[in-house]
Amino acid sequence: MYEPTIGLEIHIQLNTETKMFCSCPIVGYDVEPNTDVCPVCMGLPGALPFPNKKAVHYSLMLANVLGCEINRKSVFARKNYFYPDLPKGYQITQDEIPVAEKGQLKFKLPNGEYKTVRINRIHMEEDAGKSYHIGSGEISLIDFNRCGVPLIEIVSEPDMHSPAEAALYVRNIKQIVTYLGISSADMEKGNLRVDANVSVKRKDETELGTRTELKNLNSFKFMQKAIEYEINRHINCIESGGFIVTQTLLWDEKENKTFPMRTKEELSDYRYFPEPDILCIYVDEDEINHASESVGELPGQRILRFIRQYNISNEIAEKVCETKGFSDYADKVLKITSDKRITINWLLIEVLRVLNEEKISIEEFPIEPKNLAELLDMISSKKISNTIGKKVFREMIRTGEDSKSVLNRLDIKFISDENELEKIIETIIAENPVSVNKYKSGKTNVIGFFMGQVMKKTKGQADPRKAKDILIEKLN
Ligand code: ADP
Ligand code: MG
Ligand code: ZN
């Protein structure tokens, strides 16, 4: 019987305006390569790095939330790095004295129990550039725009024991840093990257087994698959009398297996030494307080507030609050609308559907919260039917108009005028004698058919309650 053990190193890219040690702006991959670089991030001789104060502030915020001990004095170090995407030949990172250490993250498991993962340390460092390989590797191109972008690395203790647990831990970290607003933490875009350390041991053994490290897992799916694969590989290897070699591996998503990237450098290969161009980072009481004041509402607190304020279940609140952006939007709509249940349904079904179909984020969703609230209030007060509501919703998305102008433009009215409805219903009854007889012989479910006809004739604009009353009255 084997027990797997997993420890994770998560790198998050901070969304500061400028890089970690220079004033180059941070840009996306849509920008022309090698345009946002300077002597500092290119590592030209004589250029001096200067730490980004905002990045320190962000680290302190995260340290606060993860309950870490903050080192009043922390030190930057040079870590030997011999790849072309970091032209200095070393990465500036923190080694012996990181900005914060010894924290923990407590999160809920699917069975409702809580799991605590200890945090070993969080430290600041700089990112490398990005290499592109063309053809079968004869040509390599490098974009240095990402060079020097600030990262926070969060190193966990080896406290997780399944791929699912590891994924939940990452989800919680991602949720926290997006709520803090310090990173967009999007795995697909590469601004949240995970390295997973995996080992297995017999249940009765006390010492952990030899670990292998899975680098650059860039989606939740691949991360879980790779960890799962690695656990099985370790077990099979040990079972067949072999032993695990310390190694750095990559995940091959086509072959569904791990393969060695390079044999793990001995620690000494990193040849850490204190960065002589940067004085130590000192943080004082004020900076620590300022960071804790900047923390704002965290997911757990927001979930509780939504439950109370909008009278929704814990499960629904967790769904709505999964991302900060979505819950910010939901909060703005829910604050205005009168029917919270209808609002929640629309948010979780209609709005989410559009986000998925159009592959857009809530920040790109074209309907302003107050306009959606206005539409939903018309639906809940029965000024328009649900069907018309959906039609207006689609138009609002297409054109960005508010609901009133869509209704005006499409000349949509809600037919609740009894005389008008009576006339329409009389025609329908006259046109369908067979169904009328069915009704009279007791088959009252033909009401559904008649209502369908009413909606067809009125293009869905009839007030359903009134129409049904009139219909029954006429049929009787
Ligand atoms: P390195 O820089 O060599 O990757 P770190 O100390 O930064 O080393 O990272 C070590 C990571 O590996 C931590 O997340 C830790 O929890 C994890 N780890 C250490 N030993 C084991 C083990 N035997 N099994 C699984 N994970 C481990
Ligand atoms: Mg590592
Ligand atoms: Zn620069």
Side-chain angles (χ1 to χ4, degrees), residues 349-366:
I349 297 169
E350 305 303 331
V351 176
L352 278 187
R353 190 197 338 262
V354 174
L355 300 187
N356 288 334
E357 280 175 6
E358 306 289 325
K359 295 196 169 48
I360 53 171
S361 67
I362 189 73
E363 286 75 19
E364 296 163 300
F365 186 66

Side-chain angles (χ1 to χ4, degrees), residues 106-249:
K106 195 170 161 190
F107 56 92
K108 207 170 167 183
L109 298 171
N111 65 9
E113 283 171 19
Y114 283 88
K115 163 94 193 168
T116 301
V117 171
R118 291 166 301 152
I119 306 293
N120 173 284
R121 55 195 268 135
I122 66 181
H123 67 248
M124 295 173 279
E125 58 187 29
E126 60 176 339
D127 210 345
K130 206 165 159 41
S131 305
Y132 296 88
H133 304 288
I134 294 179
S136 47
E138 310 85 60
I139 300 176
S140 290
L141 300 171
I142 308 174
D143 177 5
F144 290 112
N145 282 349
R146 199 179 68 181
C147 226
V149 165
L151 302 175
I152 288 183
E153 178 170 341
I154 307 158
V155 182
S156 86
E157 294 293 348
D159 284 348
M160 287 152 278
H161 301 288
S162 72
E165 238 174 51
L168 262 181
Y169 166 80
V170 179
R171 272 187 212 287
N172 276 272
I173 292 282
K174 177 185 157 95
Q175 197 185 32
I176 287 170
V177 299
T178 50
Y179 266 74
L180 289 177
I182 65 177
S183 169
S184 58
D186 190 337
M187 256 179 140
E188 267 172 41
K189 297 209 173 99
N191 43 37
L192 186 158
R193 303 196 285 271
V194 180
D195 301 339
N197 296 270
V198 179
S199 67
V200 305
K201 68 169 183 68
R202 282 213 173 73
K203 280 244 161 76
D204 51 9
E205 271 170 325
T206 46
E207 276 196 23
L208 293 179
T210 305
R211 69 173 155 133
T212 50
E213 182 171 1
L214 296 160
K215 278 258 182 233
N216 286 331
L217 302 165
N218 57 11
S219 80
F220 282 98
K221 193 173 103 198
F222 294 149
M223 177 177 101
Q224 289 179 83
K225 276 181 154 182
I227 295 174
E228 185 83 61
Y229 178 91
E230 211 39 30
I231 291 170
N232 290 326
R233 189 181 71 80
H234 284 214
I235 293 174
N236 290 338
C237 170
I238 297 167
E239 281 286 281
S240 59
F243 56 93
I244 293 297
V245 193
T246 306
Q247 249 180 344
T248 302
L249 305 156

Side-chain angles (χ1 to χ4, degrees), residues 81 109 366 379 389 405 463:
Y81 180 96
L109 298 171
I379 295 171
S405 60
D463 176 335

